[in-house]
Amino acid sequence: MLAGCQATPLGKYASPPSVSIDNPADGTTVDEGVPIILSGVVVDPYFEEELDSITPTWSVNGAKVCDGAVFDANGLTSCENIFSEGAAQITLQAINPEGQKGSAEVN
């Protein structure tokens, strides 16, 4: 009698990307109506040679901003936003090709 294991396909394990916001820094005060550059970076060891394949989404107080933003081959992204009066929570979310999500926030 012969016995064996069922064949299981091997796959690449993907973990969420690591995301950080470089500008503005947490706690920064900005003037109402003045354009501010938002910038961030993504690190994903499973897609380190394909960082531009990771999708960024910027939001301010839950509203999506910066349509069309992309990560470049070095994992950098930036866009310009004009803030209204009051406190703002800025979020940068990154989704890699495997669907794993990472995010960073500043207030």
Side-chain angles (χ1 to χ4, degrees):
M1 177 175 187
L2 295 174
C5 298
Q6 182 178 3
T8 305
L10 295 176
K12 177 168 50 171
Y13 173 75
S15 62
S18 175
V19 182
S20 63
I21 296 174
D22 297 329
N23 192 62
D26 200 29
T28 298
T29 300
V30 298
D31 293 327
E32 177 183 2
V34 176
I36 300 295
I37 299 295
L38 307 179
S39 63
V41 64
V42 64
V43 175
D44 191 326
Y46 298 99
F47 295 95
E48 63 189 333
E49 301 206 9
E50 304 169 319
L51 292 174
D52 56 354
S53 70
I54 297 174
T55 305
T57 303
W58 287 98
S59 61
V60 175
N61 295 332
K64 187 176 177 182
V65 297
C66 304
D67 283 336
V70 296
F71 286 111
D72 68 15
N74 295 313
L76 305 174
T77 185
S78 65
C79 71
E80 187 175 88
N81 188 65
I82 297 174
F83 291 87
S84 56
E85 185 177 359
Q89 180 178 21
I90 302 165
T91 304
L92 174 58
Q93 182 181 66
I95 303 174
N96 69 22
E98 295 289 323
Q100 300 289 326
K101 299 176 185 179
S103 65
E105 295 179 352
V106 295
N107 294 298

